[in-house]
Amino acid sequence: MTSENSQLVIANTISFVKKQLEGAEGGHDWFHIERVYKNSLLIASEENVDVLIVSLGALLHDIADSKFHEGDETVGPALARKFLETQEISEETIIHVIKIIENISFKGGNQLQKFHSKELAVVQDADRLDAIGAIGIARAFNYGGFKNRLLYDPDIPPNLTMTPAEYKASKAPTINHFYEKLLLLKEIMNTETGTRIASERHLFMEKFLAQFYAEWEGEK
Ligand code: ADP
Ligand code: NI
């Protein structure tokens, strides 16, 4: 495929995703996709990967989150396939992009990932980066507010051994999410670039938490 064709497919995909995400909640809106797309391209520039597949995976990875479709994880991939079939790309590319969408998400509960590719590794790192650092903190509290969760409750400790079902159903305070997911991401990054950026964002979250507890106790 010529790069001109790729550019057209990407432009069409951007329009499709923007339309699809109209009215989406703040942590999962078009801007999340745009950040993941940009981080994906940044990481991809230092890896030997198919940039069209990375781009389509990043753009289409969150078009129908299962959290907002009664837990149904097939809605997003099905919608993405339907759209991709209208584009001039190979079936091989479509299959790979769909596999990325199906396998990108961290479900918690030590679930095993079944598919691996360099392109998935890049998009997964970019998505994880958007869950940590300053943006990650903002998204976590936004999600907690959306779910009407407490900011923090010293009497409810984090639970690190949740099954995927318990993780989904959890009503724990938002601070717990840092220990159950956000602070664990640095260790499971796939790429060197991703790991480097994650380490900086991780330090920022640790500083944030230290300050949060100090303020909670009325120390500062
Ligand atoms: P992604 O879009 O990166 O795949 P998720 O769909 O798991 O991530 O979550 C979207 C955002 O909401 C992330 O920033 C994530 O940290 C946050 N989030 C998910 N679950 C919780 C939770 N239980 N408490 C607070 N924030 C959460
Ligand atoms: Ni995402």
Side-chain angles (χ1 to χ4, degrees), residues 23-147:
E25 124 322 304
H28 258 132
D29 54 1
W30 162 252
F31 294 115
H32 164 64
I33 304 304
E34 193 171 47
R35 292 189 301 268
V36 173
Y37 177 48
K38 284 182 181 161
N39 276 333
S40 292
L41 293 181
L42 174 75
I43 299 171
S45 70
E46 297 182 24
E47 305 282 324
N48 182 21
V49 288
D50 183 321
V51 176
L52 177 63
I53 290 176
V54 165
S55 301
L56 296 178
L59 290 168
L60 291 163
H61 86 275
D62 263 338
I63 49 172
D65 193 292
S66 66
K67 282 197 285 305
F68 307 112
H69 288 89
E70 285 93 43
D72 190 342
E73 278 156 23
T74 63
V75 177
L79 251 178
R81 167 167 275 283
K82 212 170 141 220
F83 164 75
L84 290 171
E85 283 173 353
T86 67
Q87 300 300 302
E88 276 189 43
I89 48 174
S90 69
E91 174 62 18
E92 202 187 334
T93 297
I94 297 181
I95 289 172
H96 195 154
V97 172
I98 299 302
K99 284 218 156 82
I100 290 177
I101 302 171
E102 285 171 341
N103 287 277
I104 189 173
S105 186
F106 176 99
K107 295 288 184 308
N110 305 321
Q111 209 196 42
L112 276 185
Q113 183 179 314
K114 292 184 207 88
F115 171 78
H116 297 270
S117 76
K118 287 188 292 180
E119 287 75 12
L120 167 59
V122 169
V123 182
Q124 194 170 45
D125 272 11
D127 195 34
R128 284 172 176 164
L129 285 179
D130 209 51
I132 60 179
I135 299 261
I137 294 169
R139 289 180 79 210
F141 286 101
N142 180 67
Y143 182 86
F146 185 75
K147 291 278 192 176

Side-chain angles (χ1 to χ4, degrees), residues 43 46-47 125 190-197:
I43 299 171
E46 297 182 24
E47 305 282 324
D125 272 11
N190 304 304
T191 66
E192 230 174 89
T193 313
T195 305
R196 179 171 41 76
I197 305 173

